[in-house]
Amino acid sequence: MTDQSQNYPFVPATQSIALNATNVFEGGNDRQLAACHTEATRSRIAADAERLAR
């Protein structure tokens, strides 16, 4: 997990009204993660990411 958004390649001309716009620029990903994960599961994900980054 990072404080910066991650960007991935996409097919040109397919993103103008895509979920990408809502999720990235309007906080959709953050709302979905907050609804799906508890503080405990977020902590486990962060710990795993830190462990794998070593």
Side-chain angles (χ1 to χ4, degrees), residues 7-48:
N7 296 304
Y8 299 94
F10 59 89
V11 177
T14 63
Q15 300 295 305
S16 62
I17 58 170
L19 285 175
N20 178 55
T22 301
N23 288 344
V24 174
F25 300 113
E26 297 177 19
N29 290 334
D30 295 335
R31 286 190 304 276
Q32 183 63 42
L33 287 171
C36 292
H37 294 287
T38 64
E39 182 57 38
T41 58
R42 285 191 297 272
S43 293
R44 288 179 60 193
I45 292 167
D48 283 349

